[in-house]
Amino acid sequence: MLFPNTEWSGVAFYEKIEPDKLGWTENWRIVGFYPIDLGGSASTEFDGKELMEMQDKAYEDNPELRNCYKGLIHSHHGLA
C-alpha cells in the first residue's frame, strides 16, 4: 500500500461491464484515476476548482475518458 496511514481522494472514470438491455449493470471498471489530494491521517478534501482542473487534465491526457462515467473516489485506510 502506497499510503497506508494517509487519506487520499480524486476523480475516477468508469465504464460499465456487460450492461443489460436497459443499460443497467452491477459491474464497473475504473479506466482512469486522477488523484487530487493527499490528506492527513483522518481526512482529505478538495474544491470544485481543483476538480475541474484535474478533469480538464484527464481529458487532455486521455480524450476517450469523455465517454466514461465520472465519480469521486477516496480511501478509508483505517478500516479493517
Side-chain angles (χ1 to χ4, degrees), residues 17-67:
I17 298 173
E18 299 178 3
D20 66 16
K21 64 183 179 181
L22 298 175
W24 293 94
T25 187
E26 293 181 6
N27 300 301
W28 297 81
R29 176 180 14 255
I30 295 177
V31 295
F33 168 61
Y34 287 77
I36 298 174
D37 182 63
L38 182 58
S41 62
S43 67
T44 178
E45 64 181 48
F46 55 86
D47 62 29
K49 181 179 178 188
E50 291 170 304
L51 173 62
M52 296 307 295
E53 288 172 354
M54 188 56 74
Q55 176 183 283
D56 290 345
K57 178 181 178 355
Y59 291 154
E60 184 178 315
D61 291 348
N62 299 297
E64 68 276 4
L65 294 177
R66 291 182 183 276
N67 298 320

